[in-house]
Amino acid sequence: MSKKRKLMKVYPIEENCISCRYCEVACTMVHSETQDPVKAYKLEGLLPRATVEVKGAVSLSLMCRHCKHPFCLDACISGAITQDEDGRVRLDEDKCVGCWGCVLVCPFGAAHPHVERKHSFKCDICEDRGFPACVEACPNRALIYDFER
Amino acid sequence: MRYVIIGNSAAAVGCITGIRKVDKENEIVVISYEDRCYSKPMIADVLIDYPDEKLLYRDKDFFEKNNVTQILGHKAIKINPESKVVILDSNEMVPYDKLLISTGGVPFVPPIPGREKEGVFTFTELGSAKKFKKYIEENGVEKVVVIGSGFIGLEVAYYLREIGKEVIVVELLHRVLGKALDKRGSEIVETMLREKGVQFIFNNTVEEILGEEKVSSVKLKSGEVLKTEAVVIAIGVRPNVELAETARIEVNRGIVTDNHLRTNVPDIYAAGDCIECIDITDGTRKNLPLFPLAFEQGLIAGLNMAGKEITYLGGLPLNSLKFLEKPVLNAGIVEPPDSTYEVLVNDKFEKRGYYRKAILKDGKLVGFVAIGEIDRVGILTNVIRQKIDVSNIKERLVSLDFGLVDLPEEWRKEKLKEDKTAYKDWRPVG
């Protein structure tokens, strides 16, 4: 178990974050049908999977850490959350029933509730895209895509 | 080496997951008298005709991929620890090297006269939920009395309203979810359910179920008689320890296990709703029949069964109401037991539709309630779990934008930069 997994994920660097929220916008956009940031939010009702937190001078962008011990997997009653061999934690939004168990236990607040649609959602490391959009959009290298530590 | 798991729900799946993290080779056998691995907390959904396949918690593919043999439709009736076999109701003998008992809970049915009549149901398995649904349809049931206002009772009541039935919930205490939620939380939940059309009778209970063969009315303790065509008993669940007792396994408030989830009988482990476990908020041992805990215990038991020594920390009581329009979540202690606890409240339910409450003791968070706005409350759950000192950020705990920036920088460095997210990394800080 202590063997290193071959998984790449997004790492925030809080020293570099300027809380511009480009990551949030890019995330919402690439997960939309229209591929348009305004329409994604206004028409499709999509929400960002990355969250920018700000407190005084400190800010950072946060998304699913694909934990080695994912509490969300324990709590998922529908079977929507699974963990791959390589450690990636998946959330199947169609299978999710909105029990909010993952929201209740995620230590990073990275599993979000979409209350109107009755399902949770979280970072999928831009699986369909190949490279995380938030990292691409970040103007100050406050997000990097790297192998798991 | 052969692993045998009795039961086929959260703890069993957790156990398979745990074993396969360590041992990819040896045989795993799952025994269950039910016919599939479905999600127990979702059975009330059959009332609104939720598709059967969606109730499936793990499909065939999961068992095939993990190389698990399922023996379904047969009940394990005895364990013989001397010869290390499980005896099924078909008289088949299933030998084991390591055994997990995850037999779950059984509904508690008090000795109410008339409880054997047609039209009286409990609600902890898919089979009984379906029988209830069928009974409603075949008998044209329009009116139902639900005894108990716990999670199951309220969910059944809600879905019965959803399909247009008249529902009266009879509760012994003076409020709903009396054991799980705080007073204000109960009040909010009750209001939401009343708006849905659910009726409540508090400080009262059903003394007798009346009718010929079928239920026709119930007599309350207060003397009142309510006409009804069906009764759902949802007072609570008790650990199912019957099988464990056949192997002379020690039982207290559930099967007794050590911190590796081993019972007192060699090579027999136990996990899930059938065990007694440590509540990490107060250190007491109790039965905590909760889904996430069952999975976690199963996982830890599985790792230990496969030879990876790992200690179980104990469980944190957690609840989520999934059926209401507004989510209701809580963790840990929700009502301060005495004046040594500090309570912080942010109640904007009437105006903005949310309610937050935090309970602290000695500068540490020990519980919270979140209704309406629930995004990122898991951070609070972890603050409880890791016993992080929050005495200087108390007010932030009930704020909607509480986040990791409020936690010590050291914590963020460890969890984010160093990626410390393995099971042992979630133990209390310091």
Side-chain angles (χ1 to χ4, degrees), chain A residues 9 11 14 53 55 60 62 68-69 74 77 79 94-95 97 99 103-104 106 108-109 112-113 118 149, chain B residues 39 50 54 56 58 291 295 320 322 374-376 378-379 381 403-406 412 417 419 421 426:
Chain A
K9 54 194 193 189
Y11 286 89
E14 62 179 70
E53 291 189 4
K55 190 189 186 186
L60 79 156
L62 251 158
K68 290 156 194 161
H69 176 80
D74 299 359
I77 65 165
D94 293 328
K95 193 156 172 56
V97 294
C99 79
V103 178
L104 179 57
C106 175
F108 298 103
H112 305 284
K118 273 285 214 187
R149 292 155 188 182
Chain B
S39 175
Y50 203 66
K54 281 217 148 190
L56 216 54
R58 287 292 187 272
F291 192 96
F295 187 99
S320 167
K322 75 171 170 56
I374 57 157
D375 195 15
R376 315 198 73 213
I379 302 172
T381 305
L404 298 192
V405 282
D406 292 298
R412 291 199 300 277
K417 263 190 204 144
D419 235 332
T421 58
W426 296 113

Side-chain angles (χ1 to χ4, degrees), chain B residues 58 64 91 137 160 176 241 256 269 283 291 330:
Chain B
R58 287 292 187 272
E64 274 167 23
N91 287 325
E137 281 167 357
L160 284 170
V176 300
V241 295
V256 177
Y269 297 70
F291 192 96
N330 68 276

Side-chain angles (χ1 to χ4, degrees), chain B residues 286-415:
Chain B
K286 56 180 83 150
N287 176 243
L288 289 171
L290 301 164
F291 192 96
L293 272 53
F295 187 99
E296 183 187 18
Q297 291 158 6
L299 181 85
I300 302 306
L303 289 167
N304 280 303
M305 286 160 78
K308 167 105 192 163
E309 288 248 338
I310 186 158
T311 324
Y312 179 57
L313 307 176
L316 173 65
L318 296 159
N319 285 300
S320 167
L321 272 189
K322 75 171 170 56
F323 51 91
L324 296 170
E325 287 75 14
K326 283 188 187 299
V328 177
L329 306 186
N330 68 276
I333 297 167
V334 289
E335 202 70 79
D338 59 61
S339 60
T340 62
Y341 291 78
E342 198 176 341
V343 181
L344 294 153
V345 174
N346 178 8
D347 186 355
K348 301 270 182 344
F349 192 78
E350 310 303 337
K351 273 191 183 154
R352 309 277 303 273
Y354 73 86
Y355 168 66
R356 289 281 179 100
K357 175 182 180 179
I359 292 98
L360 290 96
K361 186 171 169 76
D362 305 327
K364 295 189 177 144
L365 184 68
V366 292
F368 71 85
V369 181
I371 300 179
E373 298 286 342
I374 57 157
D375 195 15
R376 315 198 73 213
V377 298
I379 302 172
L380 294 171
T381 305
N382 177 61
V383 168
I384 304 176
R385 207 186 286 281
Q386 291 200 280
K387 304 193 193 314
I388 298 170
D389 189 331
V390 283
S391 43
N392 54 347
I393 49 161
K394 281 190 289 204
E395 289 71 28
R396 298 278 303 144
L397 297 169
V398 287
S399 156
L400 293 190
D401 64 350
F402 177 74
L404 298 192
V405 282
D406 292 298
L407 299 182
E409 199 187 335
E410 272 305 298
W411 188 91
R412 291 199 300 277
K413 194 178 151 219
E414 185 186 293
K415 294 295 176 219

Side-chain angles (χ1 to χ4, degrees), chain A residues 7-64:
Chain A
L7 176 66
M8 283 188 89
K9 54 194 193 189
V10 181
Y11 286 89
I13 302 168
E14 62 179 70
E15 295 79 8
N16 292 355
C17 181
I18 51 168
S19 62
C20 67
R21 297 182 185 269
Y22 280 16
C23 49
E24 291 187 1
V25 177
C27 176
T28 312
M29 190 186 85
V30 301
H31 286 94
S32 71
E33 290 285 323
T34 53
Q35 296 289 304
D36 176 296
V38 179
K39 285 181 187 157
Y41 176 71
K42 294 235 165 178
L43 299 179
E44 295 183 45
L46 294 183
L47 299 165
R49 290 143 201 259
T51 311
V52 175
E53 291 189 4
V54 189
K55 190 189 186 186
V58 183
S59 69
L60 79 156
S61 174
L62 251 158
M63 65 294 293
C64 176

